Amino acid sequence: MPSAHAEARQGKLNALGPQTFANEQDRARLSAVALKAFLALMKAWDLSNAEASALLGVSASTLDRMKRGSHPTLSQDQLTRVSALVGVYKGLHLLFADETADEWARRPNSGPLFERETPIRAMIEGGIPRMLEVRRYVDAVRGGL
């Protein structure tokens, strides 16, 4: 039988409803932490401004403003991109215990998702669908599938 605390917490969660990137309030609340995570990933993967802006789906000048401290509310598209990329980053760090985790994204890959390109290049060229495929690929490798 659930405790009173658990029931109260579940009641609050139900009142809030599901979190989605489509909801403006959720996007406003999640944007700052998503941007912080993306900028850290940009540094870890040694992304150029051109690569980072293409992955995030923003102009180079918008990325420069973000790097200088501007914290706009990210779009549903941009939050989806960050979520997929952070998932790839996390999966790689669970899979590899050394610098290989961050180097993997820069290494040419002969797998069918990459066609001898680097995962970064493949994700830039393939957009969100490819980012999600790469995330599933890393998760599958990590899970032994």
Side-chain angles (χ1 to χ4, degrees), residues 75-136:
S75 69
Q76 182 175 358
D77 180 271
Q78 292 162 341
L79 282 170
T80 301
R81 289 169 178 268
V82 172
S83 176
L85 293 167
V86 168
V88 170
Y89 175 88
K90 179 181 175 183
L92 290 170
H93 279 266
L94 291 170
L95 188 59
F96 301 110
D98 58 14
E99 63 276 352
T100 304
D102 292 325
E103 293 171 356
W104 181 88
R106 288 226 161 269
R107 293 181 178 169
N109 193 309
S110 61
L113 282 179
F114 310 107
E115 299 173 357
R116 301 201 182 280
E117 294 284 344
T118 67
I120 290 170
R121 176 61 37 210
M123 290 187 289
I124 288 170
E125 291 174 5
I128 291 173
R130 183 64 50 86
M131 291 176 191
L132 294 172
E133 287 178 310
V134 172
R135 181 176 181 173
R136 283 190 295 270

Side-chain angles (χ1 to χ4, degrees), residues 35 38-39 41-42 47-67 77-78 81-82 85 120-121 123-124 127 131:
L35 185 56
F38 180 78
L39 294 174
L41 180 145
M42 183 181 171
L47 297 174
S48 69
N49 276 1
E51 290 170 328
S53 62
L55 286 169
L56 187 55
V58 299
S59 68
S61 60
T62 297
L63 179 64
D64 283 337
R65 284 192 299 277
M66 291 173 170
K67 288 167 56 179
D77 180 271
Q78 292 162 341
R81 289 169 178 268
V82 172
L85 293 167
I120 290 170
R121 176 61 37 210
M123 290 187 289
I124 288 170
M131 291 176 191

Side-chain angles (χ1 to χ4, degrees), residues 2-55:
S3 69
H5 176 72
E7 287 178 2
R9 182 171 181 218
Q10 186 61 44
K12 287 180 185 178
L13 290 175
N14 290 340
L16 293 173
Q19 296 180 41
T20 70
F21 294 158
N23 181 294
E24 175 71 27
Q25 290 175 322
D26 289 341
R27 287 197 323 271
R29 185 175 47 77
L30 296 169
S31 288
V33 71
L35 185 56
K36 182 178 178 180
F38 180 78
L39 294 174
L41 180 145
M42 183 181 171
K43 184 176 180 179
W45 285 358
D46 194 29
L47 297 174
S48 69
N49 276 1
E51 290 170 328
S53 62
L55 286 169

